[in-house]
Amino acid sequence: MLKLAQLISKEENRLFIKQNLNTDSSTLLFKYAKDDDKKLLIEQIAARQKTRKKLPDFYTNLELILPPSENLEQCTSTALAAFKASLVKDYQTFTDLTSGLGIDFMHFAVQAKKSTYVEPNANLFAIALHNFKILNFELKSFNAQAEEVLSHIGFQDLIYMDPSRRDGGNIKIVRLEDYLPSIFDLYNTLANKCKRLIVKSSPLLEWRSYLNQIPHCEEVWILSQRNECKEICYVINFDLKPEEIQVKVKTFNLQDTDVQIFINNYPSNPEPQFGPIGQFLYLPNSSIMKGGLMDSVAAEFSLLKLAPNTNIYSSEELKSSFPGRIWTVNQIHKPYSKELKGRQFNVVSRNFFDKAPVIEKKLKLKSGGSNYLLALSTKKGSHFVEAKLTN
């Protein structure tokens, strides 16, 4: 890392990175196969190319160093980190026990008077400290395991954890109890070390199954970016007794120009109202789907459900603020109607016996364009619906 920092400090090397940001990195590696310094710089080019949208501030600031790709996979995007930090107020002391590259750490630390960065990986720790120096960040830091650091820090207003989701053999871990470090092993210690704790987890996690094991959880954040679920966070309040807590599930979908937000108490099981295909159809965004709040959002917007297992909803009047996709219905067809053959559609299949690629092949459709073909089932049967997006 020291060698890379020395290289990055030289203007001619930063210029090399800048001039080759749009060049294929494998071509560059072949060209400079015998130049070890250039290979280190090319690794930085490749890392920037992979994270251009995820970490735009690193893409533009060439004095910053990016870690190996395996460390980049789990790190939060700049946009999500900034948004999460905006959801928490009123804390003076902050510690991130598993900081990694420090994207989440930097955005939460901005609001605190005293911040502590913790990272056990020596190389990642060195990279982060280099970047913090470039960005003029003031902090306390520990190159140690979270368990060790907890005995050395004072009481914190807020602690953040993004436990490793890979084991010693670099195999992905799915279960929360297997994350490293385990929040369950540290739970009692953490309860005596902070007012609030935020634990980030994988979007693949079955989040409901852990609520009984996290008795002080008062909020679950389900976060998506451009309708792709990215992470789930447990927000834990040790100032409250478990019996005083009403868990809220907060879903967020960050889009290019706004954020779709839907908040609901947990558990919530509204009785859906069923009806036919109306003038408008609605598909909840990925955070709502992950949260299992499809019927809850439908009740909020007075929408009709088409069938028990069809999570597309209907109305005769437009509900323009609905957090998800909205289509205007043009025409309803029987499945595989000859009228549809050879036309151009974006195909969406929900609770229909064939998936989108099969439908495209059977009807010899051209993909793309502005028209949609929704394959779905209602209580009265299956239909193909021609529609156009309204949002």
Side-chain angles (χ1 to χ4, degrees):
M1 209 297 291
L2 179 62
K3 177 77 175 291
L4 182 57
Q6 291 171 342
L7 290 172
I8 292 288
S9 68
K10 296 178 180 179
E11 188 175 349
E12 63 266 29
N13 290 328
R14 295 198 300 274
L15 182 61
F16 175 80
I17 293 174
K18 184 177 181 179
Q19 290 173 336
N20 288 285
L21 282 173
N22 294 314
T23 306
D24 179 65
S25 56
S26 58
T27 301
L28 289 171
L29 284 171
F30 181 78
K31 183 177 180 179
Y32 296 100
K34 296 181 180 180
D35 189 328
D36 290 338
D37 288 355
K38 282 290 192 292
K39 284 195 285 187
L40 286 173
L41 297 174
I42 293 165
E43 286 174 5
Q44 289 298 299
I45 292 169
R48 279 168 166 77
Q49 290 171 342
K50 288 180 181 178
T51 60
R52 182 173 184 172
K53 290 183 178 179
K54 187 176 185 178
L55 303 172
D57 36 356
F58 278 76
Y59 187 83
T60 55
N61 189 338
L62 302 181
E63 292 184 90
L64 300 177
I65 293 175
L66 284 166
S69 57
E70 60 266 24
N71 299 124
L72 288 172
E73 183 181 331
Q74 187 171 319
C75 83
T76 305
S77 71
T78 298
L80 272 181
F83 180 76
K84 281 187 294 185
S86 75
L87 299 175
V88 187
K89 307 295 181 187
D90 304 322
Y91 56 93
Q92 302 297 311
T93 51
F94 167 68
T95 293
D96 188 333
L97 286 174
T98 52
S99 300
L101 183 58
I103 306 301
D104 280 318
F105 169 80
M106 287 187 284
H107 286 88
F108 279 98
V110 167
Q111 298 187 54
K113 288 186 177 178
K114 294 182 179 179
S115 299
T116 304
Y117 166 91
V118 182
E119 172 52 47
N121 182 301
N123 185 56
L124 201 50
F125 180 83
I127 289 172
L129 289 195
H130 165 88
N131 292 337
F132 295 150
K133 185 177 179 180
I134 296 296
L135 297 168
N136 296 314
F137 241 92
E138 292 186 10
L139 67 147
K140 191 174 183 179
S141 61
F142 291 92
N143 179 205
Q145 300 288 341
E147 299 89 330
E148 301 169 41
V149 175
L150 282 170
S151 62
H152 294 290
I153 60 172
F155 190 82
Q156 302 290 296
D157 292 328
L158 177 65
I159 288 179
Y160 185 89
M161 290 179 66
D162 179 8
S164 174
R165 299 195 288 273
R166 288 187 179 273
D167 65 12
N170 206 32
I171 304 299
K172 283 188 177 181
I173 297 171
V174 176
R175 302 190 309 165
L176 186 60
E177 58 266 35
D178 296 330
Y179 286 13
L180 301 169
S182 166
I183 67 160
F184 302 118
D185 291 345
L186 296 177
Y187 196 83
N188 291 333
T189 302
L190 289 163
N192 292 311
K193 277 291 183 179
C194 65
K195 291 181 182 179
R196 284 180 292 178
L197 169 68
I198 298 174
V199 180
K200 173 184 165 183
S201 68
S202 163
L204 301 176
L205 195 76
E206 180 38 65
W207 61 270
R208 299 172 197 78
S209 64
Y210 293 100
L211 287 177
N212 288 336
Q213 297 170 256
I214 311 175
H216 297 86
C217 180
E218 66 173 344
E219 295 180 359
V220 177
W221 299 344
I222 303 178
L223 297 124
S224 294
Q225 197 166 7
R226 298 183 187 91
N227 207 34
E228 181 183 350
C229 192
K230 294 293 188 181
E231 58 190 69
I232 297 170
C233 294
Y234 293 94
V235 183
I236 298 158
N237 188 342
F238 291 121
D239 273 355
L240 296 177
K241 297 177 181 178
E243 59 269 22
E244 297 174 329
I245 294 174
Q246 168 64 67
V247 179
K248 288 190 178 297
V249 182
K250 298 187 173 183
T251 69
F252 307 99
N253 180 31
L254 279 68
Q255 303 186 107
D256 292 334
T257 57
D258 65 352
V259 181
Q260 294 177 341
I261 300 173
F262 182 68
I263 298 172
N264 208 67
N265 288 337
Y266 178 86
S268 174
N269 298 296
E271 193 67 33
Q273 300 298 307
F274 293 94
I277 297 169
Q279 184 60 47
F280 299 97
L281 293 177
Y282 305 81
L283 178 65
N285 66 42
S286 58
S287 284
I288 292 171
M289 298 286 277
K290 181 64 186 179
L293 300 177
M294 298 80 73
D295 290 344
S296 296
V297 76
E300 178 78 16
F301 284 86
S302 302
L303 304 178
L304 299 174
K305 192 169 188 174
L306 300 180
N309 295 317
T310 302
N311 291 314
I312 290 182
Y313 299 81
S314 172
S315 75
E316 291 297 338
E317 295 182 0
L318 176 63
K319 313 286 184 176
S320 58
S321 58
F322 177 81
R325 285 195 280 182
I326 307 171
W327 290 277
T328 301
V329 173
N330 293 331
Q331 196 170 352
I332 302 172
H333 301 270
K334 291 181 180 179
Y336 296 108
S337 168
K338 292 180 181 179
E339 296 176 47
L340 300 169
K341 279 197 171 180
R343 294 174 59 187
Q344 186 174 40
F345 290 108
N346 297 289
V347 180
V348 175
S349 178
R350 289 291 185 276
N351 192 26
F352 186 76
F353 51 82
D354 283 335
K355 301 297 183 186
V358 176
I359 295 168
E360 290 175 2
K361 187 176 181 179
K362 285 184 176 181
L363 286 173
K364 298 179 181 179
L365 300 177
K366 301 169 187 174
S367 60
S370 59
N371 293 321
Y372 278 75
L373 185 65
L374 310 180
L376 49 79
S377 297
T378 70
K379 276 194 157 186
K380 293 186 177 181
S382 297
H383 307 274
F384 278 8
V385 181
E386 279 190 66
K388 282 200 172 185
L389 274 178
T390 66
N391 63 343

